Amino acid sequence: MEEKQTEDTLFGVAPEIKEKIGDLYQKITKYRRDSTMGSGLDWANQPETYKIYQNPLFVIDLPHPDKEGGENLFKLIQKRRSIREYSPKTVSLKNLSQLLWATQGITENFQGYAFRAAPSAGALYPIETYLIVNNVESLDRGIYHYRIPAHQLEFIKSGDFRKEIAQAALEQKMAFCAASVFVWTALVERSKWKYRQRGYRYMYLDAGHIAGNLALAVESLGLACCNIGALFDDEINDLLAIDGEEETVIYLSTVGYPR
Ligand SMILES: Cc1cc2nc3c(=O)[nH]c(=O)nc-3n(C[C@H](O)[C@H](O)[C@H](O)COP(=O)(O)O)c2cc1C
């Protein structure tokens, strides 16, 4: 049986290394003019671009996103604030659809690439979106996954997971009260396939772009959100039934009407 990893036994990494693992990562993954950058791409083994659940409980078609409306961008930037308290008002499916499109939706097909609302290093799109749904029109409570190419939601787990997600977010109450919590994971091989260890930099940057789009889209719809980086990774990985290695949680954002 695999040994339970604790602070002291963490993968056999010496404490002096652990103390500066971030510093080392930053140094080791630098691009330098004097070092070669790898040996080309293994096209035969490029990872899949999309995660599709083959047997979800069911699949929901999302309303078509509005690509015309919205407030003036600079006003939205001026107004945007992290909001941590939400009203019990239900979020419409139309608005949820708008948020999913604004974060990860496909906006253009060009030369074999399906480009999305947010940029991604190498157009590799390692980030997946899950939703913990608490209070969204016509959606049962539970866990959903965004099926990007079809702009659909896959219902993967039914139930009330407010307590679990709040506990996993270091007991932050906003995750309990939100109409929905966006959970962003990375399928790490999508990025490592090209960038090796440096790919981790890009996964986090990609997630930041996605969350940035969410924050402005939320503001435009009169909703509110707050990002969460303080989380117990493996509690969320377990909740989503992902392994925490090939696919791991990166970031959360709580969404709802402001109180
Ligand atoms: C990477 C990241 C992680 C964050 N994690 C949390 C968090 O765990 N809990 C929280 O209350 N706010 C979190 N925030 C929100 C910040 O506290 C907030 O952005 C900051 O106070 C600035 O306020 P503003 O967003 O209203 O401009 C996070 C923000 C970022 C960008």
Side-chain angles (χ1 to χ4, degrees):
M1 216 174 90
E2 200 184 319
E3 186 192 352
K4 179 113 185 99
Q5 299 297 339
T6 66
E7 276 290 297
D8 300 328
T9 65
L10 207 57
F11 308 107
V13 174
E16 61 273 21
I17 302 287
K18 227 175 70 188
E19 278 301 305
K20 52 183 179 193
I21 196 118
D23 307 321
L24 290 173
Y25 174 77
Q26 194 65 18
K27 279 186 193 157
I28 290 167
T29 59
K30 276 182 185 169
Y31 277 165
R32 291 190 180 79
R33 288 184 182 277
D34 61 356
S35 67
T36 52
M37 323 254 273
S39 50
L41 297 176
D42 181 3
W43 288 103
N45 290 305
Q46 183 177 15
E48 294 286 340
T49 309
Y50 301 111
K51 179 169 183 175
I52 306 284
Y53 279 82
Q54 296 306 324
N55 295 302
L57 297 171
F58 50 85
V59 175
I60 295 134
D61 289 323
L62 289 164
H64 286 296
D66 169 21
K67 297 170 189 174
E68 305 293 332
E71 219 179 304
N72 171 284
L73 174 65
F74 300 109
K75 281 192 191 153
L76 296 175
I77 292 173
Q78 171 63 41
K79 279 193 343 195
R80 185 210 62 79
R81 224 32 337 120
S82 295
I83 303 290
R84 298 172 179 81
E85 294 191 5
Y86 305 106
S87 87
K89 192 173 161 187
T90 302
V91 170
S92 69
L93 192 60
K94 172 93 185 139
N95 278 352
L96 189 74
S97 162
Q98 195 71 25
L99 297 179
L100 287 163
W101 174 78
T103 51
Q104 290 257 267
I106 294 174
T107 49
E108 188 181 14
N109 287 290
F110 183 66
Q111 293 186 341
Y113 285 94
F115 290 101
R116 305 206 193 153
S120 172
L124 293 173
Y125 303 107
I127 306 297
E128 292 286 327
T129 304
Y130 296 79
L131 301 174
I132 311 295
V133 167
N134 167 35
N135 186 12
V136 177
E137 172 205 13
S138 56
L139 294 188
D140 290 343
R141 276 187 174 149
I143 305 178
Y144 295 77
H145 171 255
Y146 183 34
R147 185 182 280 186
I148 294 167
H151 193 56
Q152 292 172 322
L153 276 180
E154 298 159 338
F155 190 28
I156 55 173
K157 202 165 166 185
S158 173
D160 179 354
F161 298 107
R162 285 175 298 172
K163 212 168 121 204
E164 285 84 346
I165 192 69
Q167 281 172 347
L170 270 64
E171 316 289 344
Q172 298 186 74
K173 211 173 122 225
M174 60 176 150
F176 186 90
C177 302
S180 181
V181 180
F182 279 60
V183 181
W184 291 297
T185 67
L187 271 149
V188 299
E189 190 53 31
R190 284 188 194 154
S191 197
K192 282 168 74 179
W193 170 74
K194 179 167 185 185
Y195 298 114
R196 312 285 182 240
Q197 291 297 306
R198 189 177 166 89
Y200 283 94
R201 294 178 182 230
Y202 300 146
M203 293 172 221
Y204 288 106
L205 290 170
D206 275 23
H209 288 295
I210 289 166
N213 278 17
L214 181 75
L216 294 176
V218 150
E219 195 65 52
S220 178
L221 298 172
L223 291 158
C225 72
C226 185
N227 300 120
I228 296 185
L231 51 91
F232 293 117
D233 306 57
D234 283 339
E235 291 186 18
I236 297 181
N237 291 332
D238 290 348
L239 188 61
L240 301 181
I242 57 175
D243 67 0
E245 292 190 6
E246 282 183 28
E247 183 176 6
T248 183
V249 66
I250 298 268
Y251 204 19
L252 311 179
S253 190
T254 53
V255 171
Y257 280 97
R259 208 172 69 180

